[in-house]
Amino acid sequence: MRTMPEWCYTRESVSDEKAEQALLAVKSACFGCAEHSNDCSLAKAVRDITEMLEVKE
């Protein structure tokens, strides 16, 4: 059985649907910079949410 994903900053459990909605929202906020930086807060949020959705129990 899969548990609900947990947001790493607050330890709050969220539904898969809510996490997927947040992921789409963050991706749509991307500025499409010509050169990607690992320091980008939007890219970091995408990574964090993606990792949260990949965690399975």
Side-chain angles (χ1 to χ4, degrees):
M1 179 178 188
R2 176 143 166 40
T3 60
M4 291 176 60
E6 184 178 274
W7 185 231
C8 62
Y9 298 100
T10 63
R11 302 293 181 220
E12 180 179 338
S13 294
V14 297
S15 68
D16 285 337
E17 180 181 349
K18 183 67 174 171
E20 289 168 4
Q21 289 173 352
L23 182 59
L24 288 174
V26 173
K27 284 182 174 181
S28 72
C30 176
F31 296 113
C33 300
E35 192 171 317
H36 178 75
S37 168
N38 286 331
D39 294 330
C40 174
S41 58
L42 295 174
K44 183 175 181 339
V46 168
R47 284 192 305 271
D48 289 343
I49 297 169
T50 300
E51 287 176 7
M52 178 177 72
L53 286 168
E54 291 174 349
V55 172
K56 296 188 182 197
E57 196 158 308

